[in-house]
Amino acid sequence: MKERIISVLLLITAFGALVALGLITYFIFQAGLPLMAKVGVWQFLSGREWNPTAKTPAFGILPMIVGSLWLTFGSLVIGVPLGLAVSIFMVELAPPRLAGLMRPAIQLLAGIPSVIYGFIGLTLLAPIIRSTLGGPGLSVLTGAIILGFMILPTIIAISEDALRAVQLAVREGAVALGSTHWQVITGVLLPTARSGIIAGVILGMGRALGETMAVIMMIGNSLDIPFSPLQSATTLTSNIGLEMAYASGAHRQAL
Protein backbone atom coordinates (compact mmCIF):
# COMPACT_ATOMS: atom_id res chain seq x y z
CA MET A 1 0.00 0.00 0.00
CA LYS A 2 2.77 2.41 0.93
CA GLU A 3 4.67 1.67 -2.29
CA ARG A 4 1.50 2.27 -4.31
CA ILE A 5 0.96 5.67 -2.66
CA ILE A 6 4.57 6.65 -3.35
CA SER A 7 4.19 5.57 -6.98
CA VAL A 8 1.02 7.65 -7.37
CA LEU A 9 2.72 10.70 -5.82
CA LEU A 10 5.70 10.33 -8.15
CA LEU A 11 3.36 9.99 -11.13
CA ILE A 12 1.48 13.14 -10.12
CA THR A 13 4.74 15.03 -9.67
CA ALA A 14 6.02 13.93 -13.07
CA PHE A 15 2.71 14.86 -14.70
CA GLY A 16 2.78 18.27 -13.03
CA ALA A 17 6.30 18.88 -14.30
CA LEU A 18 5.25 17.98 -17.85
CA VAL A 19 2.23 20.28 -17.63
CA ALA A 20 4.39 23.16 -16.39
CA LEU A 21 6.89 22.59 -19.20
CA GLY A 22 4.05 22.50 -21.73
CA LEU A 23 2.59 25.77 -20.43
CA ILE A 24 5.97 27.50 -20.59
CA THR A 25 6.52 26.27 -24.14
CA TYR A 26 3.03 27.37 -25.18
CA PHE A 27 3.50 30.83 -23.66
CA ILE A 28 6.83 31.39 -25.42
CA PHE A 29 5.61 30.24 -28.81
CA GLN A 30 2.26 32.03 -28.77
CA ALA A 31 4.02 35.24 -27.74
CA GLY A 32 6.92 35.00 -30.17
CA LEU A 33 5.60 33.30 -33.32
CA PRO A 34 3.73 36.36 -34.68
CA LEU A 35 6.95 38.36 -34.81
CA MET A 36 8.92 35.42 -36.20
CA ALA A 37 6.38 35.11 -39.01
CA LYS A 38 6.56 38.84 -39.69
CA VAL A 39 10.34 39.23 -39.65
CA GLY A 40 11.35 35.77 -40.88
CA VAL A 41 13.17 33.11 -38.92
CA TRP A 42 16.43 33.42 -40.85
CA GLN A 43 16.49 37.22 -40.63
CA PHE A 44 15.72 37.01 -36.92
CA LEU A 45 18.54 34.53 -36.24
CA SER A 46 21.18 35.92 -38.60
CA GLY A 47 20.49 39.65 -38.43
CA ARG A 48 23.29 41.74 -36.95
CA GLU A 49 21.26 44.76 -35.89
CA TRP A 50 19.01 44.92 -32.84
CA ASN A 51 17.03 48.15 -32.55
CA PRO A 52 13.38 47.37 -31.68
CA THR A 53 12.51 50.97 -30.73
CA ALA A 54 13.66 52.62 -33.97
CA LYS A 55 11.26 54.08 -36.52
CA THR A 56 12.15 51.09 -38.69
CA PRO A 57 12.67 48.34 -36.08
CA ALA A 58 15.45 45.78 -36.52
CA PHE A 59 15.26 42.38 -34.86
CA GLY A 60 18.55 40.57 -35.39
CA ILE A 61 19.87 38.43 -32.54
CA LEU A 62 23.10 37.09 -34.06
CA PRO A 63 25.34 39.24 -31.77
CA MET A 64 23.50 37.86 -28.72
CA ILE A 65 23.84 34.28 -29.96
CA VAL A 66 27.58 34.71 -30.55
CA GLY A 67 28.01 36.39 -27.15
CA SER A 68 26.13 33.57 -25.41
CA LEU A 69 28.28 30.94 -27.14
CA TRP A 70 31.52 32.80 -26.32
CA LEU A 71 30.57 33.13 -22.67
CA THR A 72 29.34 29.56 -22.26
CA PHE A 73 32.39 28.06 -23.96
CA GLY A 74 34.76 30.23 -21.93
CA SER A 75 33.12 29.31 -18.64
CA LEU A 76 33.34 25.60 -19.50
CA VAL A 77 37.02 25.91 -20.43
CA ILE A 78 37.67 27.35 -16.97
CA GLY A 79 35.13 25.47 -14.87
CA VAL A 80 35.33 21.89 -16.21
CA PRO A 81 39.08 21.24 -15.63
CA LEU A 82 38.97 22.91 -12.20
CA GLY A 83 35.81 21.11 -11.16
CA LEU A 84 37.03 17.73 -12.33
CA ALA A 85 40.41 18.22 -10.64
CA VAL A 86 38.77 19.15 -7.33
CA SER A 87 36.38 16.20 -7.46
CA ILE A 88 39.24 13.78 -8.17
CA PHE A 89 41.24 15.28 -5.30
CA MET A 90 38.33 14.94 -2.88
CA VAL A 91 37.62 11.33 -3.83
CA GLU A 92 41.09 9.89 -4.36
CA LEU A 93 43.74 12.08 -2.76
CA ALA A 94 42.35 14.15 0.11
CA PRO A 95 42.15 12.72 3.65
CA PRO A 96 38.52 11.99 4.62
CA ARG A 97 38.48 14.81 7.16
CA LEU A 98 39.72 17.37 4.63
CA ALA A 99 37.23 16.14 2.04
CA GLY A 100 34.47 16.47 4.63
CA LEU A 101 35.44 20.10 5.20
CA MET A 102 35.73 20.90 1.51
CA ARG A 103 32.31 19.54 0.59
CA PRO A 104 30.15 22.04 2.52
CA ALA A 105 32.55 24.87 1.62
CA ILE A 106 32.08 24.14 -2.09
CA GLN A 107 28.32 23.76 -1.67
CA LEU A 108 28.29 27.16 0.00
CA LEU A 109 29.48 28.68 -3.27
CA ALA A 110 26.15 27.67 -4.85
CA GLY A 111 24.28 29.69 -2.23
CA ILE A 112 26.03 32.98 -2.94
CA PRO A 113 23.70 35.28 -4.93
CA SER A 114 24.76 35.82 -8.51
CA VAL A 115 24.77 39.59 -7.99
CA ILE A 116 27.67 39.14 -5.55
CA TYR A 117 29.66 37.30 -8.21
CA GLY A 118 28.83 40.06 -10.66
CA PHE A 119 29.95 42.72 -8.18
CA ILE A 120 33.28 40.92 -7.68
CA GLY A 121 33.80 40.72 -11.43
CA LEU A 122 32.83 44.38 -11.89
CA THR A 123 34.97 45.88 -9.14
CA LEU A 124 37.90 43.48 -8.84
CA LEU A 125 38.44 41.36 -11.94
CA ALA A 126 37.50 43.84 -14.69
CA PRO A 127 40.12 46.47 -13.65
CA ILE A 128 42.82 43.79 -13.47
CA ILE A 129 42.03 42.51 -16.96
CA ARG A 130 41.83 46.06 -18.33
CA SER A 131 45.24 47.00 -16.93
CA THR A 132 47.05 43.76 -17.85
CA LEU A 133 45.45 42.50 -21.07
CA GLY A 134 43.79 45.61 -22.43
CA GLY A 135 40.28 46.15 -23.63
CA PRO A 136 37.40 47.68 -21.69
CA GLY A 137 37.67 45.20 -18.81
CA LEU A 138 33.93 44.49 -18.92
CA SER A 139 34.31 41.74 -21.48
CA VAL A 140 33.64 38.13 -22.40
CA LEU A 141 36.78 37.06 -20.53
CA THR A 142 35.63 38.69 -17.28
CA GLY A 143 32.24 37.04 -17.53
CA ALA A 144 33.72 33.65 -18.47
CA ILE A 145 36.09 33.60 -15.49
CA ILE A 146 33.39 34.46 -12.97
CA LEU A 147 30.88 32.07 -14.54
CA GLY A 148 33.55 29.36 -14.52
CA PHE A 149 33.64 29.64 -10.73
CA MET A 150 29.86 29.89 -10.48
CA ILE A 151 29.37 26.51 -12.16
CA LEU A 152 32.03 24.79 -10.03
CA PRO A 153 29.65 23.57 -7.26
CA THR A 154 27.42 21.79 -9.81
CA ILE A 155 30.28 20.12 -11.66
CA ILE A 156 32.16 19.15 -8.49
CA ALA A 157 29.13 17.71 -6.66
CA ILE A 158 27.90 15.55 -9.53
CA SER A 159 31.39 14.45 -10.61
CA GLU A 160 32.27 13.51 -7.03
CA ASP A 161 29.12 11.40 -6.70
CA ALA A 162 29.87 9.70 -10.03
CA LEU A 163 33.43 8.89 -8.99
CA ARG A 164 32.38 7.56 -5.59
CA ALA A 165 29.78 5.35 -7.28
CA VAL A 166 32.50 3.35 -9.07
CA GLN A 167 32.57 -0.06 -7.44
CA LEU A 168 35.50 -0.96 -5.22
CA ALA A 169 36.00 -4.21 -7.14
CA VAL A 170 36.78 -2.20 -10.28
CA ARG A 171 39.49 -0.24 -8.49
CA GLU A 172 40.95 -3.33 -6.84
CA GLY A 173 40.96 -5.21 -10.14
CA ALA A 174 42.93 -2.43 -11.83
CA VAL A 175 45.45 -2.37 -8.97
CA ALA A 176 45.75 -6.17 -9.09
CA LEU A 177 46.71 -5.90 -12.77
CA GLY A 178 49.63 -3.66 -11.82
CA SER A 179 48.16 -0.21 -12.44
CA THR A 180 49.50 2.75 -10.49
CA HIS A 181 47.19 5.08 -8.62
CA TRP A 182 47.19 7.64 -11.44
CA GLN A 183 46.60 4.93 -14.00
CA VAL A 184 43.58 3.77 -12.01
CA ILE A 185 42.24 7.34 -11.93
CA THR A 186 42.80 8.15 -15.60
CA GLY A 187 42.23 4.72 -17.13
CA VAL A 188 39.51 3.24 -14.94
CA LEU A 189 37.69 5.74 -12.72
CA LEU A 190 37.20 8.56 -15.20
CA PRO A 191 35.97 6.34 -18.07
CA THR A 192 33.66 4.44 -15.71
CA ALA A 193 32.20 7.64 -14.26
CA ARG A 194 32.04 9.35 -17.66
CA SER A 195 28.25 9.52 -17.90
CA GLY A 196 27.91 11.19 -14.49
CA ILE A 197 30.70 13.65 -15.25
CA ILE A 198 29.08 14.58 -18.56
CA ALA A 199 25.78 15.13 -16.76
CA GLY A 200 27.51 17.52 -14.37
CA VAL A 201 29.10 19.40 -17.27
CA ILE A 202 25.74 19.72 -19.04
CA LEU A 203 24.08 21.08 -15.91
CA GLY A 204 26.96 23.51 -15.44
CA MET A 205 26.60 24.60 -19.05
CA GLY A 206 22.90 25.23 -18.46
CA ARG A 207 23.76 27.41 -15.46
CA ALA A 208 26.27 29.41 -17.49
CA LEU A 209 23.93 29.78 -20.46
CA GLY A 210 21.00 30.91 -18.33
CA GLU A 211 22.79 33.29 -15.96
CA THR A 212 21.49 36.85 -16.22
CA MET A 213 22.26 39.26 -13.39
CA ALA A 214 25.98 38.55 -13.03
CA VAL A 215 26.41 38.65 -16.82
CA ILE A 216 24.69 42.04 -17.08
CA MET A 217 27.21 43.47 -14.63
CA MET A 218 30.35 41.99 -16.20
CA ILE A 219 30.06 41.62 -19.96
CA GLY A 220 29.63 45.24 -21.05
CA ASN A 221 26.29 44.72 -22.88
CA SER A 222 27.55 45.73 -26.30
CA LEU A 223 25.35 44.79 -29.26
CA ASP A 224 28.36 44.22 -31.54
CA ILE A 225 29.53 40.73 -32.46
CA PRO A 226 32.58 39.89 -30.30
CA PHE A 227 35.59 38.53 -32.17
CA SER A 228 37.86 38.41 -29.11
CA PRO A 229 37.35 37.45 -25.46
CA LEU A 230 38.60 40.92 -24.53
CA GLN A 231 35.67 42.61 -26.27
CA SER A 232 32.37 43.56 -24.70
CA ALA A 233 29.30 41.61 -25.76
CA THR A 234 25.76 40.77 -24.76
CA THR A 235 23.90 37.51 -24.34
CA LEU A 236 20.34 36.39 -24.96
CA THR A 237 19.44 36.30 -21.28
CA SER A 238 21.14 39.58 -20.34
CA ASN A 239 19.36 41.43 -23.14
CA ILE A 240 16.01 40.03 -22.00
CA GLY A 241 16.77 41.12 -18.44
CA LEU A 242 17.74 44.64 -19.53
CA GLU A 243 14.84 45.34 -21.90
CA MET A 244 11.84 43.34 -20.71
CA ALA A 245 10.82 45.96 -18.12
CA TYR A 246 9.97 48.60 -20.73
CA ALA A 247 9.28 46.47 -23.83
CA SER A 248 5.86 46.34 -25.44
CA GLY A 249 4.29 45.18 -28.69
CA ALA A 250 6.69 43.72 -31.24
CA HIS A 251 9.65 44.44 -28.94
CA ARG A 252 8.15 42.26 -26.21
CA GLN A 253 7.30 39.55 -28.71
CA ALA A 254 10.91 39.49 -29.89
CA LEU A 255 12.21 39.16 -26.34
Side-chain angles (χ1 to χ4, degrees):
M1 185 66 180
K2 185 177 180 181
E3 293 179 355
R4 182 175 296 179
I5 294 175
I6 294 175
S7 299
V8 172
L9 291 176
L10 290 175
L11 181 62
I12 294 174
T13 303
F15 180 74
L18 290 175
V19 170
L21 181 60
L23 290 174
I24 292 171
T25 305
Y26 169 76
F27 168 78
I28 292 175
F29 275 90
Q30 68 87 22
L33 279 179
L35 181 89
M36 299 282 280
K38 180 180 178 181
V39 177
V41 176
W42 177 250
Q43 177 61 32
F44 186 72
L45 296 176
S46 64
R48 296 192 174 198
E49 184 180 357
W50 174 267
N51 194 358
T53 59
K55 188 174 181 180
T56 304
F59 300 98
I61 65 170
L62 183 61
M64 304 176 209
I65 294 175
V66 175
S68 298
L69 294 176
W70 261 110
L71 196 65
T72 304
F73 177 75
S75 63
L76 291 178
V77 168
I78 295 169
V80 171
L82 283 176
L84 192 55
V86 172
S87 61
I88 292 173
F89 175 77
M90 291 173 61
V91 173
E92 291 296 318
L93 303 174
R97 187 172 182 179
L98 178 59
L101 293 174
M102 292 177 63
R103 195 171 298 110
I106 292 170
Q107 292 171 353
L108 185 63
L109 292 176
I112 298 175
S114 59
V115 67
I116 302 299
Y117 285 103
F119 183 74
I120 293 173
L122 178 67
T123 60
L124 180 64
L125 187 59
I128 294 175
I129 292 178
R130 182 168 56 245
S131 61
T132 56
L133 300 177
L138 297 177
S139 61
V140 172
L141 180 60
T142 304
I145 293 174
I146 296 298
L147 279 184
F149 283 93
M150 290 179 68
I151 66 177
L152 278 180
T154 302
I155 296 176
I156 292 173
I158 297 178
S159 298
E160 182 192 1
D161 289 341
L163 289 171
R164 291 190 185 278
V166 177
Q167 295 181 357
L168 182 61
V170 176
R171 305 167 187 256
E172 292 175 344
V175 173
L177 291 173
S179 301
T180 64
H181 193 185
W182 283 108
Q183 288 173 335
V184 172
I185 293 174
T186 58
V188 177
L189 296 183
L190 292 180
T192 305
R194 180 173 59 245
S195 59
I197 294 172
I198 292 175
V201 172
I202 291 174
L203 290 175
M205 182 176 65
R207 171 76 192 276
L209 190 61
E211 181 55 47
T212 302
M213 182 54 67
V215 174
I216 289 175
M217 299 175 68
M218 295 183 298
I219 203 172
N221 304 306
S222 169
L223 287 171
D224 296 326
I225 295 179
F227 294 99
S228 164
L230 295 177
Q231 289 181 278
S232 297
T234 192
T235 65
L236 295 164
T237 54
S238 64
N239 197 65
I240 293 172
L242 286 170
E243 299 184 6
M244 184 60 80
Y246 62 87
S248 62
H251 186 186
R252 190 177 185 87
Q253 290 178 342
L255 294 176

